[in-house]
Amino acid sequence: MKHYTDNFAQDNLPSQDLQPDYLCDLPQFQHPEMLNCVERLLDNHIKNGNGEAVCIRTFKETWTYKDLYEKANQIAHVLVDDLGLVSGNRVLLRSANNPMMVACWFAILKAGGIVVATMPLLRSKELTTIIDCAEISIAISDSDLAEDMNQVESKFLKQKSFYRNGHLEQLMQSKPKTFYNYHSKADSVCLIGFTSGTTGLPKMTAHYHKDILNICEAFPIYSLQPTKEDIFIGSPPLAFTFGLGGLVLFPMYFGASTFLLEKPSPDLLLKAIQEYKITICLTAPTAWRVLTTKLNEFDVSSLRKCVSAGETLPLQVWQDWYDATGLKIIDGIGATEMLHIFISSNEENMIPGTTGLPILGYEAKIVDDNGKELPINEIGKLAVRGITGCKYLNREDKQEAYVQNGWNLTGDIFKKDEKGYFWFIARGDDMIISSGYNIAAIEVESVLLTHEDIFECAVIGIPDKERGMLVCAHIVLKEKDKASVALEKHIQHWFKEVAAPYKYPRIIKFTDNLPKTETGKIQRFKLK
């Protein structure tokens, strides 16, 4: 029996010899041959009598597990009966974070489809690239995002359905509230995540049903210790695997609840924490910095765990939050290719300034350009392997570059100390080589952020004939009208007094704001 009527994903997986080594010996990472992850994440709550427990909250809605279960089942019927989904079809999911997006996500997997969730800010050209690349035949979109969706022209896209007073709700009304889930394999592809860059031929990362459950047994148990009483909140979009894990998979795996914000401004995030007694918050370093400045306006005493990912967490941001709240922000590094966080810490083993240790299910080391492991405290490439790994679809060249000798090379530059802790140095493309010195952008940023006048900053390298590259700092001041040549000179002089002089920013550009992604990550390439 074929488990995929549409075999696109299975046929385009990298061959076994190009895939990384997997570490799945522990019993919690072993699964039966047949597995649909939705049953563990959603259906079992109904079977176990947890259906009336709150699952999703917003400022306007409250859904129980039963509500989510029934709506996901109705949407699954729509997908199969009205939109023509056959198992293995990719389904584009386009929405801000809201309950219906979650229902659609589960419905696609229930029906045997593969989710391709996209960031709300993507435009028609970018959406067309994704649809053509993944040969997507069905799209479900929030009607608020209909304009760009309707401008997509692709020979692959056959059906579109919109929700929020739209077509989808009309079709759902007549559908049963039960659905017999597609009998997927544990190693059937259920999710395709696109890495950053949606021009040309972007990279598609595939993940299995068992991968979804594996990450729920890793980071949250290691760092968060969730209970049914926890309420999760965060700013990352559900199309971003950091957001999917932290705002859907982790809370539902443990029978907890999630609070979704369609437009997660700092004020709304803090308002929700205060009014709904949120206990776990996940966001990016830039957001933690802003939240710290607003703590005198809100009560965040209900929080017990704070998580930062997307880019490395500056020590000053960690310290400011800790001084104000007594809470230790948990830093972590993950990758779309690896699905979620693989190096992090918890309150017991945390050393501020480090990314942490490989979490349960993962191993990591530092290697040179030839893949040879480097000694303690030497800077090199981060190599990781574990319960998840890179599986690029239809990109053998990229697969061979990312996976070498069974290890995933993430593109990050790290060092490992004598205690086994991993210290972030730079992204591979954020290392500045000036007059023979290797200068990590994050090192310069971390120093600058301790200056009393600086609110945010981003450091890049600018080509220079004499030095090869110059360190250039784009700085957002706390009081923007202070920007002046005199302040620029002062910051440069101050920097040379508090850090190695060769690292100081020879060019300073004051700006009102920095370009960022929807997840709060600074887009340094736009500054370049």
Side-chain angles (χ1 to χ4, degrees), residues 12 43 66 71 123 131 133 156 166-167 179 238 260 271 342 419 463 521:
N12 284 290
D43 295 18
K66 183 182 178 184
K71 291 182 188 299
R123 296 298 180 241
I131 289 167
C133 194
F156 296 106
H167 175 245
F179 185 86
L238 299 184
L260 299 181
K271 180 173 184 269
F342 46 79
K419 294 182 179 179
K521 186 184 294 187

Side-chain angles (χ1 to χ4, degrees), residues 492-505:
Q492 290 172 326
H493 179 72
W494 165 86
F495 189 104
K496 286 185 279 189
E497 289 186 336
V498 298
Y502 71 86
K503 298 179 183 178
Y504 90 94

Side-chain angles (χ1 to χ4, degrees), residues 80-307:
V80 174
D81 301 341
D82 301 287
L83 302 181
L85 181 140
V86 297
S87 57
N89 280 165
R90 279 74 58 216
V91 181
L92 186 84
L93 188 51
R94 177 163 165 72
S95 175
N97 293 3
N98 56 47
M100 273 295 284
M101 183 184 186
V102 179
C104 291
W105 193 93
F106 281 114
I108 294 165
L109 269 59
K110 277 176 165 284
I114 298 172
V115 175
V116 184
T118 58
M119 303 289 186
L121 287 181
L122 296 187
R123 296 298 180 241
S124 57
K125 182 179 179 181
E126 297 160 318
L127 293 169
T128 302
T129 300
I130 288 173
I131 289 167
D132 287 347
C133 194
E135 299 185 11
I136 293 171
S137 58
I138 301 170
I140 298 179
S141 173
D142 189 320
S143 59
D144 285 358
L145 302 173
E147 183 177 354
D148 281 290
M149 194 70 249
N150 283 327
Q151 291 176 5
V152 169
E153 294 183 5
S154 171
K155 66 178 181 180
F156 296 106
L157 188 61
K158 308 300 182 188
Q159 295 280 1
K160 290 182 287 188
S161 185
F162 297 90
Y163 67 81
R164 203 190 298 260
N165 302 318
H167 175 245
L168 184 58
E169 287 94 340
Q170 294 175 9
L171 294 174
M172 288 170 61
Q173 288 177 2
S174 62
K175 301 302 182 186
K177 295 182 178 180
T178 57
F179 185 86
Y180 185 75
N181 294 341
Y182 182 76
H183 206 39
S184 303
K185 280 188 171 183
D187 59 357
S188 291
V189 176
C190 68
L191 172 70
I192 294 174
F194 277 78
T195 61
S196 56
T198 51
T199 56
L201 192 60
K203 293 172 287 188
M204 299 180 282
T205 64
H207 298 288
Y208 298 148
H209 281 268
K210 65 181 181 182
D211 296 336
I212 297 292
L213 298 187
N214 280 347
I215 65 168
C216 295
E217 284 283 347
F219 173 72
I221 291 178
Y222 178 84
S223 295
L224 307 179
Q225 301 84 47
T227 71
K228 290 183 178 181
E229 285 69 46
D230 276 313
I231 307 172
F232 289 67
I233 198 171
S235 60
L238 299 184
F240 185 40
T241 53
F242 177 41
L244 175 67
L247 299 178
V248 177
L249 305 181
F250 300 163
M252 294 182 190
Y253 190 84
F254 294 95
S257 62
T258 188
F259 194 101
L260 299 181
L261 294 166
E262 295 202 27
K263 296 180 179 179
S265 68
D267 284 346
L268 286 179
L269 200 64
L270 290 166
K271 180 173 184 269
I273 292 170
Q274 174 177 282
E275 293 183 4
Y276 292 86
K277 307 302 180 188
I278 306 295
T279 59
I280 299 176
C281 181
L282 307 94
T283 191
T286 49
W288 285 117
R289 171 172 278 277
V290 176
L291 294 176
T292 304
T293 67
K294 294 177 171 287
L295 285 173
N296 62 331
E297 303 170 40
F298 298 91
D299 177 9
V300 298
S301 60
S302 60
L303 284 177
R304 68 178 194 86
K305 299 287 182 179
C306 304
V307 181

Side-chain angles (χ1 to χ4, degrees), residues 500-514:
Y502 71 86
K503 298 179 183 178
Y504 90 94
R506 293 176 179 271
I507 300 173
I508 288 178
K509 297 183 179 181
F510 295 115
T511 182
D512 287 345
N513 51 66
L514 299 172

